[in-house]
Amino acid sequence: MEFRREPHWLRPVAPHLAGHRALEGRGLLVVLRAYWLLPILLLAAAARFYDLTAAAIWGDEGSSLLLSQYSLGEIWAHAAHDVHPPLYFMLLHGWIAVFGDGILAIRSFSAWPGILCVGLGVWLVAQVANRRAAILAGVLLALLPTAVRYSQEVRMYALLGVWLLGATLALVYWVRQPWRRRYLVYYTLLMSAAFYTHYFTALCVLAHWSYLGLLRLQASPANRTLNLPGWWLANVAIVLLFAPWLPGLVDLVRHLDQLKANGDVGWEPAVELVSLPSMIWQLLTQDEGDSLPPLLFASLPLLMLGVVALVAWRDRSPWRLHWLLATYSTLPLVLVFAVSFISPVFIERYLTAYALGLPLLVAIALDQLLEHARPLALALLLLFGGAEALGLKNNATVDSNDQISVLVDYVNQRYVAGDRIVTSDLLWYLSYVYYNRTDAQPLLYTPPTPAGVSTRPNAYGFGTLVDQQAATLYVDSLSALPLGTGRVWLISTADQPDEFAPLPAHWRQSAEFMAGNVKARLLLMCGAGVSPSPSPPPCP
């Protein structure tokens, strides 16, 4: 059976035909019908570019920017010591070379893939359902809060969504036309790119294989695509394409203890039974929902479970493509949740690419309910849309004063040549350096423990980004700082005990400024610049 090409409604009408129909008095209607995808993409763009620069660069984003400053060869080497593969950072390196490192430019590198994800989601639903479901899917995916949030960060999660949705779409085409081997070529390239972007791509592999296994066992008539040599060869090709990175991955696994020592892994909170429903709330509303009454807390996860079950159960097509969306969206969440009882990795942003399937399933369910149960369809639309609206509101809630950029600007304006700037934590350092406009290199405070053990980062995780600067970056003792102007800026967490305590006895605080959870203090080394004595006299 020959599978149809892209539906005619997914392609715009030729301009001269649209103009001709407009002359017949149906111009606006024709344009809307011909270019209906454009408003959806504009909606996705509006959601992702709205307040794109409002929040300051945080530590993870700062690490992306710092790594992207290296050459491509150095990125490859450093990423082998980091917790993520190198492709995103290499592409970001090229993007910055063309568009610069302004906050709008660098965050746009995630916003555009986020918009592309919406287009791919529409295309995917158009293949497994119909036009109405595709339109609904586009609107719901355009407004999905977790997708919007991670389309506004200088990290790889939106790009990963492009690769995985694209690979899933290629799999759909191949399952329906297994003699078209070019779809397996597309699949191989997209999955290889995904593996070079994030290690959680392995969950997509499990979802795809599980779908083909279900298709082999449950479909009637039996579908034997799982047995075809082309599928196995495609997966072997993915392994071979990823093989150049395997030595770095093996080395990284061997040094997990050093990653834990730096806090790059092992920081994730332990999971409980309520963590799974909390994740659903987090993905859809950007709030864990743990303060809600139990029945209300259970309602949204149960609603999503019902949607998945409905869509999968009603699919009687030969290829059971709704099963593919169901396994793609649910299997990774359940697997990571189960694994996290052993080693916690149940983090929202790691699973955002798989959450992209949830609004697609809701759209298909809405399309089915509209045929026979319109009140239920309306209720589902209001509930899911309301959750998304709440999540978008939570996303847009940014306190302009609770930003490290405000604090760094305060220091920039009051900086005097020769001042020292010392940060208490590597994450503060990674954010600080992006906004620093002084000629001073920010330093990192690394005091030994009471037992004399060094707290300097090692060469793994974020530590790989700064390890080469150890001789000039780390400050083991505040007393060892050169006098310079006699002024030291200390940057630390505001709501914790003083991370720099005890301060040298002759230091006196001159100013303090707080921006949310981070504070800057200006300390004077009393007598600096006044007395030539190596031991400045006490302050009056």
Side-chain angles (χ1 to χ4, degrees):
M1 178 179 178
E2 176 66 25
F3 179 52
R4 67 186 185 278
R5 290 179 176 271
E6 293 176 15
H8 65 87
W9 48 265
L10 201 57
R11 301 193 299 271
V13 173
H16 69 280
L17 293 179
H20 176 70
R21 294 175 185 175
L23 292 176
E24 296 177 353
R26 298 185 293 128
L28 179 59
L29 184 60
V30 168
V31 170
L32 289 176
R33 286 178 176 175
Y35 297 96
W36 63 267
L37 182 59
L38 181 58
I40 292 175
L41 296 180
L42 290 175
L43 177 64
R48 283 150 183 78
F49 279 96
Y50 175 76
D51 264 0
L52 184 62
T53 63
I57 296 294
W58 71 291
D60 279 15
E61 292 182 289
S63 72
S64 297
L65 296 169
L66 197 56
L67 182 52
S68 68
Q69 292 177 8
Y70 288 100
S71 68
L72 295 183
E74 291 172 325
I75 290 174
W76 182 277
H78 283 291
H81 286 185
D82 193 18
V83 293
H84 297 300
L87 181 59
Y88 172 82
F89 308 109
M90 290 179 164
L91 295 176
L92 180 61
H93 174 91
W95 181 271
I96 291 174
V98 176
F99 298 103
D101 64 353
I103 190 168
L104 177 60
I106 56 179
R107 285 200 170 140
S108 295
F109 185 60
S110 292
W112 289 114
I115 297 167
L116 182 55
C117 281
V118 175
L120 289 170
V122 170
W123 189 356
L124 182 55
V125 175
Q127 298 306 311
V128 305
N130 56 45
R131 175 178 182 169
R132 182 171 63 186
I135 294 174
L136 289 168
V139 174
L140 295 179
L141 184 53
L143 301 177
L144 182 66
T146 190
V148 172
R149 175 177 178 179
Y150 293 108
S151 296
Q152 296 182 322
E153 288 197 1
V154 192
R155 296 296 278 174
M156 68 290 298
Y157 307 110
L159 183 63
L160 179 65
V162 171
W163 304 139
L164 296 185
L165 285 180
T168 303
L169 184 60
L171 181 60
V172 167
Y173 273 88
W174 176 72
V175 166
R176 301 188 73 162
Q177 303 177 91
W179 60 90
R180 303 284 190 185
R181 295 180 180 176
R182 66 175 181 271
Y183 297 129
L184 283 180
V185 175
Y186 302 151
Y187 180 84
T188 299
L189 295 176
L190 289 164
M191 287 299 290
S192 298
F195 269 112
Y196 275 104
T197 301
H198 200 281
Y199 295 123
F200 269 36
T201 297
L203 298 170
C204 187
V205 173
L206 293 175
H208 288 169
W209 277 81
S210 297
Y211 159 70
L212 292 178
L214 289 171
L215 201 60
R216 175 70 176 82
L217 295 174
Q218 300 295 328
S220 179
N223 186 298
R224 301 180 183 276
T225 48
L226 183 64
N227 298 347
L228 294 178
W231 172 248
W232 290 81
L233 289 174
N235 283 268
V236 169
I238 292 170
V239 173
L240 293 176
L241 288 172
F242 193 62
W245 186 250
L246 290 178
L249 177 59
V250 171
D251 184 65
L252 192 66
V253 172
R254 288 177 54 241
H255 292 88
L256 279 176
D257 56 335
Q258 292 180 278
L259 287 168
K260 291 179 180 179
N262 279 353
D264 294 274
V265 299
W267 58 267
E268 301 90 346
V271 297
E272 302 172 333
L273 291 178
V274 296
S275 298
L276 184 56
S278 286
M279 175 67 77
I280 303 301
W281 278 97
Q282 184 73 20
L283 293 170
L284 299 182
T285 70
Q286 296 298 285
D287 186 288
E288 294 183 354
D290 49 4
S291 62
L292 297 172
L295 287 178
L296 183 57
F297 175 71
S299 62
L300 187 60
L302 288 176
L303 175 66
M304 295 311 304
L305 179 61
V307 166
V308 174
L310 172 68
V311 171
W313 177 69
R314 289 178 61 89
D315 188 357
R316 295 294 184 269
S317 65
W319 302 283
R320 304 294 201 277
L321 293 172
H322 296 174
W323 294 4
L324 173 59
L325 287 182
T327 55
Y328 175 86
S329 301
T330 59
L331 185 62
L333 269 69
V334 173
L335 284 176
V336 175
F337 173 66
V339 169
S340 291
F341 281 96
I342 302 171
S343 178
V345 285
F346 201 49
I347 304 300
E348 175 200 8
R349 56 184 179 271
Y350 295 170
L351 295 164
T352 290
Y354 300 104
L356 299 178
L358 296 178
L360 309 187
L361 290 165
V362 171
I364 295 172
L366 285 170
D367 177 68
Q368 294 174 350
L369 291 172
L370 283 170
E371 296 294 332
H372 308 290
R374 285 179 176 265
L376 283 178
L378 180 59
L380 175 58
L381 180 59
L382 290 175
L383 288 171
F384 192 83
E388 287 196 328
L390 177 60
L392 292 173
K393 178 180 179 295
N394 290 335
N395 267 340
T397 304
V398 176
D399 185 349
S400 59
N401 295 315
D402 185 10
Q403 306 293 326
I404 191 172
S405 56
V406 176
L407 178 138
V408 181
D409 186 56
Y410 173 88
V411 177
N412 288 339
Q413 294 178 19
R414 291 158 180 80
Y415 173 82
V416 176
D419 285 2
R420 314 294 176 184
I421 302 172
V422 186
T423 59
S424 65
D425 183 87
L426 185 55
L427 285 175
W428 289 134
Y429 172 85
L430 293 171
S431 302
Y432 196 100
V433 293
Y434 176 75
Y435 294 102
N436 181 38
R437 300 294 180 265
T438 72
D439 59 1
Q441 176 192 17
L443 306 174
L444 182 60
Y445 187 49
T446 54
T449 67
V453 178
S454 174
T455 61
R456 292 185 174 190
N458 53 55
Y460 286 85
F462 287 165
T464 188
L465 305 175
V466 295
D467 186 64
Q468 294 175 331
Q469 307 172 55
T472 58
L473 176 65
Y474 299 141
V475 176
D476 294 338
S477 171
L478 293 177
S479 299
L481 281 172
L483 288 178
T485 59
R487 291 159 42 105
V488 181
W489 294 93
L490 300 182
I491 314 300
S492 60
T493 308
D495 62 355
Q496 293 183 4
D498 188 0
E499 295 158 301
F500 290 102
L503 297 174
H506 58 281
W507 287 21
R508 296 293 181 268
Q509 183 168 309
S510 173
E512 180 176 282
F513 181 82
M514 288 196 295
N517 195 36
V518 60
K519 66 180 177 181
R521 288 175 289 167
L522 175 60
L523 278 297
L524 304 180
M525 301 177 183
C526 295
V530 176
S531 169
S533 168
S535 300
C539 291

